[in-house]
Amino acid sequence: DGGITQSPKYLFRKEGQNVTLSCEQNLNHDAMYWYRQDPGQGLRLIYYSQIVNDFQKGDIAEGYSVSREKKESFPLTVTSAQKNPTAFYLCASSITSGMSYNEQFFGPGTRLTVL
Amino acid sequence: GEDVEQSLFLSVREGDSSVINCTYTDSSSTYLYWYKQEPGAGLQLLTYIFSNMDMKQDQRLTVLLNKKDKHLSLRIADTQTGDSAIYFCAEGMTTDSWGKLQFGAGTQVVVTP
């Protein structure tokens, strides 16, 4: 079955530590996205990538980093510079960007808690 | 940045109709979307509407679009307990060629027996 997987589902981190969230898709999608979800605030775009070895900052990129070495993988690192990292993180993908129709397919999410 | 706005909460009795409202920002958006999020899960596309349409019906779902007022609504007929979830509207941005989606804050729908 095609889809997007995120791991782990729950992640705990001590303050001052970097942590990497995994996102893998086997949908052969070109574009991938990372969103952060906080209660009552909807989804905010952290980073996105249109193609391998290229990515762009979204609305709230500070304190985060990404890589896109393979088409199917788009890991997100939450660095110690992120002031308030506790949140639910969602990864998504779409066939391509730059088209007027852009259905995004979402993974199940990772809930990160900083202790 | 500009916001897509939704009311945050809706309570509805089982069997009644639910109406979730949304106002969006970009009058040139070509597609508008409704996503559903169940507790602790990712988002799932429910339906979408192309901007040259006023209405789209898909089984129990009816989407209405008022382009003049930049208002979008989702009606769920015969609401069931399984419809309890957060519903997000999203617009496809056209200010650049990239086609990002701008999401609203989500409407929490609670269905009571």
Side-chain angles (χ1 to χ4, degrees), chain A residues 25 28-33 48-55 66-75 93-94:
Chain A
Q25 54 99 358
N28 200 32
H29 286 172
D30 288 316
M32 296 187 75
Y33 316 76
Y48 58 95
S49 169
Q50 298 172 264
I51 197 167
V52 174
N53 292 324
D54 185 58
F55 47 83
V66 292
S67 62
R68 186 88 188 274
E69 296 176 4
K70 298 185 295 182
K71 186 175 185 178
E72 59 269 24
S73 179
F74 191 41
S93 70
S94 62

Side-chain angles (χ1 to χ4, degrees), chain A residues 25-105:
Chain A
Q25 54 99 358
N26 60 4
L27 300 167
N28 200 32
H29 286 172
D30 288 316
M32 296 187 75
Y33 316 76
W34 274 106
Y35 293 93
R36 171 182 171 136
Q37 184 179 15
D38 297 282
Q41 291 196 45
L43 275 66
R44 292 184 288 168
L45 184 64
I46 305 172
Y47 268 98
Y48 58 95
S49 169
Q50 298 172 264
I51 197 167
V52 174
N53 292 324
D54 185 58
F55 47 83
Q56 307 294 330
K57 292 182 179 180
D59 301 320
I60 55 164
E62 186 175 347
Y64 300 97
S65 65
V66 292
S67 62
R68 186 88 188 274
E69 296 176 4
K70 298 185 295 182
K71 186 175 185 178
E72 59 269 24
S73 179
F74 191 41
L76 173 75
T77 296
V78 184
T79 76
S80 56
Q82 169 50 231
K83 295 287 185 281
N84 184 20
T86 294
F88 190 51
Y89 290 88
L90 286 160
C91 179
S93 70
S94 62
I95 292 174
T96 187
S97 58
M99 289 175 61
S100 58
Y101 180 71
N102 190 34
E103 178 185 353
Q104 293 185 12
F105 294 77

Side-chain angles (χ1 to χ4, degrees), chain B:
Chain B
E2 297 174 84
D3 292 333
V4 174
E5 295 188 353
Q6 301 178 238
S7 53
L8 291 183
F9 185 81
L10 175 67
S11 179
V12 62
R13 193 168 286 185
E14 190 174 12
D16 289 349
S17 292
S18 312
V19 179
I20 307 166
N21 294 301
C22 170
T23 55
Y24 61 97
T25 61
D26 187 350
S27 59
S28 61
S29 290
T30 50
Y31 286 92
L32 296 135
Y33 308 82
W34 282 104
Y35 280 85
K36 177 183 180 182
Q37 183 182 35
E38 297 188 358
L43 277 67
Q44 178 183 18
L45 181 69
L46 272 182
T47 187
Y48 65 92
I49 188 167
F50 187 51
S51 59
N52 70 350
M53 301 169 66
D54 298 324
M55 184 181 84
K56 179 180 179 182
Q57 189 146 2
D58 184 1
Q59 299 183 342
R60 292 191 297 123
L61 305 178
T62 303
V63 179
L64 296 178
L65 176 60
N66 180 330
K67 284 194 70 175
K68 175 176 169 290
D69 295 335
K70 291 187 275 188
H71 184 265
L72 182 72
S73 68
L74 174 69
R75 179 177 180 268
I76 306 172
D78 186 25
T79 310
Q80 303 297 308
T81 55
D83 295 323
S84 293
I86 302 176
Y87 292 81
F88 292 91
C89 67
E91 61 173 334
M93 304 307 290
T94 57
T95 52
D96 56 58
S97 62
W98 195 79
K100 290 183 286 188
L101 296 183
Q102 184 75 35
F103 287 87
T107 300
Q108 171 88 54
V109 173
V110 174
V111 182
T112 56

